[in-house]
């Protein structure tokens, strides 16, 4: 039973929540504004919000009939009968409520304006796959991921520690957003045929696999370029770190374009891993600066 819930939370994708918080906190540390308590609260909030979205996606995809018997992705809890629809719906609501409660701990630090940000995040965590116009069914999932796991996650994690915004942090948020999009890109690349059959119009369905392949490749390269100020200002260690990530990215991209179906499931995990590697390399170079 516990195993079913753990799988439903999709732990392989959680680096997309962890990485933005780590990256933003590293920038805060570099600018002598790091606050460990705030960073931990941001991390818990980000994880809970993503898990709530993952659980909701499991439930609402089942209700919409897009989790079909011929699905090639990882087992879905509700569609497979491992977890009842009612239990999944309750779990989604409870997890989202816990995320909101956790986020409220940041209000005394960052101001009441954070309530608007929190409501925005909570609403779209569910609107991603639910409601009359679910974002993931209309080619807007990638944009939502870029905004919430990139722009919002990084900039506001930094803000609640520093109480100001920073242009270098903003560039980092672009990088984090693009790397997060790549995780979703692999998922939709793998599921193209079943998504088409379910009328789920992802960007891969709309523009095709070739578009996804070039987008995936470009996102990793642009992420490096967006954070160029970290790599080039630290001499040889910075260049080595950037080239190391580029090599890992190209290797994973090569696996993406050469595989189909269930063979892409490991690529999904490696793409999430790549984002975490990118983040840790970035943090390392910031620390030794």
């Amino acid at each position: 039973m516990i195993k079913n819930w753990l799988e439903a939370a999709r732990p392989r994708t959680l680096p997309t929540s962890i990485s933005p918080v780590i990256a933003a906190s590293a920038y805060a540390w570099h600018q002598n504004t790091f606050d460990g308590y705030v960073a931990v609260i941001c991390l818990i909030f980000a994880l809970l919000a993503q898990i709530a979205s993952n659980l909701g996606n499991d439930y609402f995809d089942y209700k919409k009939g897009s989790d079909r018997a011929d699905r090639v992705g990882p087992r879905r809890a509700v569609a497979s009968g491992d977890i009842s629809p009612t239990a999944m719906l309750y779990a989604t609501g409870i997890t989202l409520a816990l995320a909101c409660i956790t986020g409220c701990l940041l209000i005394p630090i960052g101001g009441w304006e954070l309530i608007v940000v929190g409501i925005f995040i909570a609403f779209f965590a569910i609107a991603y796959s639910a409601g009359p116009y679910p974002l993931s069914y209309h080619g807007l999932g990638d944009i939502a991921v870029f905004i919430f796991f990139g722009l919002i996650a990084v900039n506001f994690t930094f803000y609640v520690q520093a109480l100001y915004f920073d242009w270098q942090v903003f560039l980092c948020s672009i990088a984090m957003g693009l790397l997060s999009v790549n995780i979703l890109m692999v998922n939709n690349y793998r599921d193209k045929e079943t998504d088409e059959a379910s009328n789920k119009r992802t960007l891969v369905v709309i523009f095709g696999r070739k578009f996804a392949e070039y987008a995936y490749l470009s996102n990793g390269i642009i992420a490096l370029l967006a954070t160029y100020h970290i790599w080039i200002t630290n001499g040889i260690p910075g260049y080595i770190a950037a080239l190391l990530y580029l090599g890992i990215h190209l290797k994973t991209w090569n696996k993406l374009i050469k595989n189909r179906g269930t063979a892409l499931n490991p690529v999904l995990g490696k793409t999430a891993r790549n984002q975490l590697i990118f983040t840790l390399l970035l943090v390392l170079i910031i620390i030794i600066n």
Side-chain angles (χ1 to χ4, degrees):
M1 185 65 171
I2 295 177
K3 180 182 177 183
N4 293 337
W5 284 107
L6 289 174
E7 290 178 351
R10 303 180 203 173
R12 288 195 300 177
T13 67
L14 295 183
T16 199
S17 290
I18 298 170
S19 296
V21 176
I22 294 175
S25 297
Y27 277 89
W29 180 86
H30 183 61
Q31 299 190 26
N32 298 313
T33 60
F34 174 74
D35 187 318
Y37 167 77
V38 172
V40 170
I41 295 301
C42 288
L43 180 61
I44 295 172
F45 171 78
L47 285 170
L48 288 172
Q50 186 185 357
I51 291 172
S53 182
N54 288 345
L55 297 179
N57 184 248
D58 196 304
Y59 171 80
F60 290 109
D61 276 358
Y62 164 78
K63 296 294 287 185
K64 294 177 184 298
S66 58
D67 280 345
R68 297 157 51 93
D70 57 350
R71 174 181 169 79
V72 295
R75 185 180 179 90
R76 287 294 184 88
V78 177
S80 62
D82 294 336
I83 298 174
S84 73
T86 302
M88 185 63 79
L89 184 60
Y90 281 138
T92 301
I94 292 170
T95 307
L96 189 60
L98 289 173
C100 292
I101 293 170
T102 302
C104 286
L105 297 176
L106 298 172
I107 294 174
I109 301 168
W112 290 99
E113 298 87 350
L114 293 180
I115 292 179
V116 177
V117 179
I119 292 173
F120 195 61
I121 293 172
F123 176 77
F124 281 96
I126 299 302
Y128 179 81
S129 54
Y133 198 84
L135 302 177
S136 61
Y137 283 72
H138 295 87
L140 298 174
D142 303 77
I143 296 174
V145 166
F146 176 77
I147 291 173
F148 291 102
F149 292 103
L151 303 185
I152 290 179
V154 175
N155 288 300
F156 279 94
T157 296
F158 177 82
Y159 175 79
V160 292
Q161 296 181 65
L163 298 182
Y164 59 85
F165 293 106
D166 181 270
W167 74 272
Q168 289 192 359
V169 176
F170 176 74
L171 290 174
C172 177
S173 74
I174 292 176
M176 286 293 114
L178 292 173
L179 295 177
S180 296
V181 167
N182 270 358
I183 299 173
L184 178 62
M185 192 74 70
V186 175
N187 185 79
N188 294 341
Y189 185 92
R190 179 199 63 208
D191 295 343
K192 180 179 181 292
E193 286 75 21
T194 54
D195 284 344
E196 282 178 323
S198 304
N199 199 31
K200 186 175 182 179
R201 294 182 56 75
T202 65
L203 289 186
V204 182
V205 169
I206 295 171
F207 296 111
R209 279 205 169 93
K210 277 297 178 184
F211 161 82
E213 292 170 4
Y214 288 120
Y216 183 99
L217 176 63
S218 300
N219 285 347
I221 295 173
I222 294 172
L224 283 172
L225 295 176
T227 50
Y228 76 95
H229 55 278
I230 295 296
W231 315 115
I232 68 172
T233 57
N234 286 278
I236 293 177
Y239 289 115
I240 292 174
L243 289 173
L244 176 61
Y245 172 75
L246 180 61
I248 295 171
H249 175 66
L250 291 175
K251 183 177 180 180
T252 309
W253 174 72
N254 189 54
K255 290 183 180 297
L256 172 74
I257 64 177
K258 289 185 176 180
N259 289 286
R260 293 289 185 274
T262 56
L264 287 167
N265 290 333
V267 179
L268 180 65
K270 289 177 180 177
T271 301
R273 176 211 62 188
N274 289 357
Q275 183 177 13
L276 190 57
I277 290 174
F278 178 96
T279 304
L280 295 178
L281 289 172
L282 193 72
V283 171
L284 176 64
I285 299 303
I286 288 174
I287 289 174
I288 66 175
N289 183 14

